[in-house]
Amino acid sequence: AGDLFPSGGGGEDLLGGGDRLSAATQAGVGSLLVGLPAVSACLLIAQQIISAAESVMSSQQKCGRLVARITALVPHLEALEGRLAHEPGQRAAFDPLLLQLKGVLMDSLETVERWGEHTQSAWKALLHIPMARRFEREFDELNERLSTAANDLSLTLNIRNAMG
C-alpha cells in the first residue's frame, strides 16, 4: 500500500477533536457514530464533509483542497474497513490512529458547516474578509492535520503489510 497522501503534514497535537462541534453537528452526526467502529465513523464523517462542502461559496480553493484530500482518503478507509472486518485482531493497531483521524474529520466537518453558514451569499462573504482569512487559516491547519493523520495511518498499514 502506498501513502494515502503523497505530500507531508505538520506535527500538531491530533488527539483532540470534536470539542467545538456545533449543536447541529453533534445531534446529526454524533448520534450516528454511537457504537460504530472507528473506521466506519471516519467514512461517515468524510461523506458528511463532502456533502456539506457544496454550500461553501467563499474560500472554495482552501475548502476544495480539504475535500479533495478527504475524497482521496475514502477508498483507503473502505479498504481498511474490509480488512478489519476479516482480521478483527488488527483493530487494536489501527483504532488509535483512526480516532486521531476521526478528530480531524470532526473538526473539518464543523469548520465546513460553519463556513457554509457564514457564506450563504457571495456578497456576505465580501463583507467579512477578516473572517474569510480566519477560515482560510483553519482550512490550512486542517489540511496539515489531515496529512499527518493520513501519513500515520499509511505508515501503520505499510508496516502491517510488511509483517504479513
Side-chain angles (χ1 to χ4, degrees), residues 13-21 25 45 49 66 70 100-114 135 138-139 141-142 145:
D13 176 20
L14 302 174
L15 297 177
D19 298 343
R20 301 168 296 173
L21 290 176
T25 300
I45 300 164
I49 293 167
L66 180 69
I70 290 169
Q100 171 183 322
L101 179 61
K102 179 182 164 189
V104 175
L105 291 172
M106 290 295 284
D107 286 350
S108 298
L109 178 59
E110 188 272 335
T111 300
V112 169
E113 285 182 341
R114 190 165 26 99
F135 276 109
E138 285 184 46
F139 283 126
E141 176 188 325
L142 289 167
R145 290 177 57 201

Side-chain angles (χ1 to χ4, degrees), residues 27-160:
V29 175
S31 62
L32 296 173
L33 300 179
V34 175
L36 275 183
V39 68
S40 299
C42 288
L43 281 165
L44 179 65
I45 300 164
Q47 293 301 330
Q48 292 290 322
I49 293 167
I50 293 165
S51 295
E54 293 174 8
S55 68
V56 175
M57 298 176 79
S58 295
S59 196
Q60 288 179 341
Q61 182 179 7
K62 300 281 185 175
C63 181
R65 179 174 178 237
L66 180 69
V67 170
R69 298 182 87 184
I70 290 169
T71 301
L73 183 60
V74 168
H76 298 285
L77 290 172
E78 289 169 341
L80 181 59
E81 183 177 43
R83 178 178 179 170
L84 293 177
H86 295 292
E87 301 174 41
Q90 290 195 20
R91 189 175 305 275
F94 290 99
D95 274 350
L97 299 168
L98 290 166
L99 290 174
Q100 171 183 322
L101 179 61
K102 179 182 164 189
V104 175
L105 291 172
M106 290 295 284
D107 286 350
S108 298
L109 178 59
E110 188 272 335
T111 300
V112 169
E113 285 182 341
R114 190 165 26 99
W115 187 234
E117 291 170 5
H118 286 9
T119 61
Q120 292 302 315
S121 72
W123 177 249
K124 186 175 180 182
L126 288 174
L127 296 176
H128 295 353
I129 290 173
M131 183 180 293
R133 288 189 182 121
R134 187 181 93 223
F135 276 109
E136 285 183 5
R137 284 190 304 272
E138 285 184 46
F139 283 126
D140 286 341
E141 176 188 325
L142 289 167
N143 268 300
E144 195 171 300
R145 290 177 57 201
L146 185 60
S147 287
T148 300
N151 287 338
D152 290 349
L153 189 57
S154 179
L155 178 62
T156 301
L157 280 167
N158 289 335
I159 290 170
R160 294 302 248 184

